[in-house]
Amino acid sequence: MSRSMTTLRMAVATLALAAGAALVPVKAAAETLADALASAYKHSGLLEQNRALLRAADEDVAQALSQLRPIVSWTANLTSNFGASSSAATGFNLVNSRSASASIGLTAEMLIYDGGRTNLGVEIAKETVLATREGLTSIEQQVLLRAAVAYLNVRRTSEFVALRQNNLRLITQELRAARDRFEVGEVTRTDVSLAEARLAAAKSGLAAAQGDLAQAQLEYLAAVGHRPGRLTPSGALHRLPHSLEAASATALRQHPDMAQARRQVTISELRVDLADAGLSPTVSATATLGLNDTLGTGAHGRSASIGLAGRQTIYAGGRLSSLQRQAMQNRDASRANLHVVSHQIRQNVGNALATLQVARSSIEASQQQVRAAQVAFRGIREEATLGARTTLDVLNAEQELLDARASLISAQVDELSAGYSLLAAMGELTAQNLELKVRIYDPAGYYNLVKDAPAGLSEQGRKLDRVLRRIGKD
């Protein structure tokens, strides 16, 4: 019996321990910068908007390609005629007449020749798709850079708040010590007032730091898609270029803005060819089949025709020549824009690299400053206990240590922020290059479905409808 009771007690104790362990809250895992970037990539409304715009541009290719295919249409008419007539044979009496007729027809039309305008339209649509893809990549870089900066700013402001809180505790201790020394006559009322003033300033600084943290958290929510939790310190970026020449060469070769500007030049040159082709004639083939029936009379008939139709504008009031000149001016503008974009990219790379180098130098100097300020603060504090230093000396030393630590935190954040800005300036701040744990969006996926302009009733068209419904649910 005693053995059974012992076993029962052990079982109850085990269950109690298990229940207690289950009630212990599990500490949420800290969020890394890579996690924040992945979340921004998955939940960005700006990316979803521009992906939809890219898919809309894909449809332009299908619409341009459809102009090279036959167009089949049907027509149907039902007509009822009413009237009255008179003649000498009827004594000039009015005779009412009424008749009805019905007809149905099928027409097919196909473009044979238009000077290459339709083919040029297809090429322009394809180049526009490629330019839009580069624009999507540029938007992706903006989204990821904003998320990275938001993450780093939350880290910066959080550490500033912790620093201010620690500063407030130290000054509170200094004020308490000053009051105790004042009670025994070691210091004057002035020393106490100085400590009280510094305490008030510390409270104000803490309130400002907490306000900055709240703003940084709101920016994080907007950039990443959720409120920040516990954030881990970010590691240093590797494989960054050290020379402006190497970074600029990489940026000019692969930056999406540069690639988009090149595509726009190609589009403008194709539009010049399109304006020239506007002077060419067009030739179309047509075929019709019709059925006619006069209701009530039994009369009916059939008709069919095949023909060629040609058309060319001889004079349009100077419109065609104006379109040619306009296309040439737009081509020159896009070529000039290519130079503007290249200079802007070089400048962005140079600015990011300079900021990175300044931040690295600031880190080294700030680390030395923090070490020296810590030694000075400890020494002055010990000297103050012996009466060799005033309360103001201790407060000034503590403020210098606070400033040095704040400078070190800012320099470390600035280094990472400049590193990500440099990656963006070089065109390498993408989910694929960063190897984020996300499903990479395929910009060619939708294009491959619509590039052949499938009809809605075809198997490919039904497959496309299923894809669109799935996109809408996502």
Side-chain angles (χ1 to χ4, degrees):
M1 182 70 178
S2 60
R3 182 178 301 175
S4 300
M5 291 299 296
T6 303
T7 305
L8 180 60
R9 290 192 188 99
M10 292 178 63
V12 172
T14 303
L15 290 174
L17 288 174
L23 293 175
V24 174
V26 179
K27 198 171 187 179
E31 186 175 19
T32 65
L33 179 53
D35 295 333
L37 295 178
S39 180
Y41 182 84
K42 290 186 289 186
H43 301 294
S44 172
L46 186 59
L47 276 177
E48 287 299 325
Q49 175 191 7
N50 284 272
R51 288 167 184 168
L53 292 176
L54 174 59
R55 293 192 292 269
D58 293 340
E59 294 290 355
D60 289 336
V61 178
Q63 294 168 20
L65 184 63
S66 68
Q67 301 299 315
L68 295 172
R69 296 176 178 175
I71 299 174
V72 181
S73 58
W74 64 269
T75 58
N77 292 289
L78 178 63
T79 306
S80 181
N81 300 313
F82 303 92
S85 63
S86 62
S87 65
T90 61
F92 296 99
N93 292 326
L94 292 176
V95 178
N96 293 324
S97 62
R98 183 175 181 179
S99 63
S101 62
S103 65
I104 186 171
L106 188 66
T107 303
E109 182 178 357
M110 184 172 182
L111 178 68
I112 296 178
Y113 176 79
D114 65 350
R117 287 200 295 271
T118 303
N119 287 322
L120 287 169
V122 173
E123 293 301 319
I124 290 174
K126 289 181 178 179
E127 288 294 330
T128 302
V129 166
L130 295 176
T132 308
R133 288 182 189 177
E134 299 296 344
L136 178 61
T137 304
S138 182
I139 294 295
E140 178 183 341
Q141 290 206 138
Q142 295 175 25
V143 168
L144 294 180
L145 180 59
R146 181 185 180 187
V149 172
Y151 183 98
L152 295 173
N153 279 338
V154 170
R155 289 282 306 165
R156 184 207 306 262
T157 52
S158 298
E159 293 187 19
F160 277 1
V161 167
L163 199 61
R164 291 288 181 180
Q165 289 172 339
N166 185 52
N167 178 53
L168 184 62
R169 286 192 295 269
L170 288 175
I171 294 181
T172 301
Q173 294 174 1
E174 294 298 330
L175 176 59
R176 188 180 300 113
R179 286 172 176 170
D180 292 341
R181 294 169 67 188
F182 173 73
E183 292 295 332
V184 297
E186 292 183 3
V187 296
T188 65
R189 182 63 188 173
T190 302
D191 295 287
V192 177
S193 298
L194 286 172
E196 291 173 343
R198 286 295 177 91
L199 181 62
K203 291 179 179 179
S204 176
L206 176 59
Q210 290 172 337
D212 292 339
L213 176 59
Q215 293 179 1
Q217 289 173 338
L218 290 174
E219 170 63 13
Y220 186 95
L221 173 62
V224 178
H226 61 264
R227 290 189 175 276
R230 190 163 55 92
L231 306 183
T232 62
S234 307
L237 290 171
H238 303 289
R239 296 179 299 177
L240 291 177
H242 298 285
S243 67
L244 178 60
E245 292 75 14
S248 297
T250 301
L252 293 176
R253 183 176 63 254
Q254 66 183 23
H255 197 283
D257 289 352
M258 195 67 190
Q260 187 179 38
R262 294 191 187 100
R263 296 291 181 187
Q264 289 170 346
V265 171
T266 302
I267 292 171
S268 64
E269 291 173 346
L270 289 172
R271 291 194 182 279
V272 172
D273 297 336
L274 182 62
D276 294 338
L279 302 175
S280 302
T282 59
V283 179
S284 301
T286 59
T288 61
L289 177 64
L291 296 176
N292 302 296
D293 189 5
T294 303
L295 303 180
T297 64
H300 59 273
R302 300 177 180 177
S303 63
S305 65
I306 298 176
L308 291 176
R311 177 184 176 86
Q312 182 177 14
T313 302
I314 298 176
Y315 177 72
R319 178 178 176 273
L320 297 180
S321 298
S322 177
L323 289 175
Q324 287 178 302
R325 295 191 298 270
Q326 184 183 52
M328 293 177 184
Q329 297 302 328
N330 288 331
R331 176 198 59 194
D332 295 342
S334 62
R335 289 175 177 174
N337 180 64
L338 189 62
H339 293 287
V340 173
V341 172
S342 64
H343 288 304
Q344 184 65 50
I345 288 176
R346 288 192 186 94
Q347 182 179 1
N348 292 341
V349 169
N351 290 340
L353 189 58
T355 303
L356 178 63
Q357 293 170 346
V358 169
R360 287 173 175 173
S361 299
S362 298
I363 289 176
E364 296 179 2
S366 297
Q367 288 173 341
Q368 296 175 0
Q369 183 182 4
V370 168
R371 288 193 294 267
Q374 285 177 337
V375 173
F377 173 67
R378 291 169 185 166
I380 292 175
R381 198 174 188 181
E382 291 295 328
E383 293 172 0
T385 59
L386 300 175
R389 292 283 186 172
T390 65
T391 302
L392 180 61
D393 294 331
V394 176
L395 294 175
N396 287 338
E398 197 277 332
Q399 184 64 42
E400 289 181 2
L401 179 58
L402 173 68
D403 294 340
R405 287 173 173 170
S407 297
L408 178 58
I409 293 173
S410 289
Q412 290 171 339
V413 172
D414 289 342
E415 180 190 19
L416 286 173
S417 180
Y420 280 99
S421 296
L422 180 58
L423 288 178
M426 295 168 58
E428 295 184 346
L429 190 62
T430 62
Q432 187 170 4
N433 288 337
L434 296 177
E435 298 180 352
L436 299 180
K437 296 179 180 179
V438 295
R439 185 175 64 180
I440 303 297
Y441 180 78
D442 181 14
Y446 188 84
Y447 174 82
N448 292 332
L449 293 175
V450 303
K451 65 179 181 180
D452 296 326
L457 299 178
S458 65
E459 177 59 30
Q460 190 174 0
R462 288 192 290 269
K463 180 180 179 182
L464 186 57
D465 289 338
R466 292 193 294 270
V467 171
L468 287 175
R469 285 193 291 269
R470 187 170 66 249
I471 292 175
K473 291 179 181 179
D474 293 342

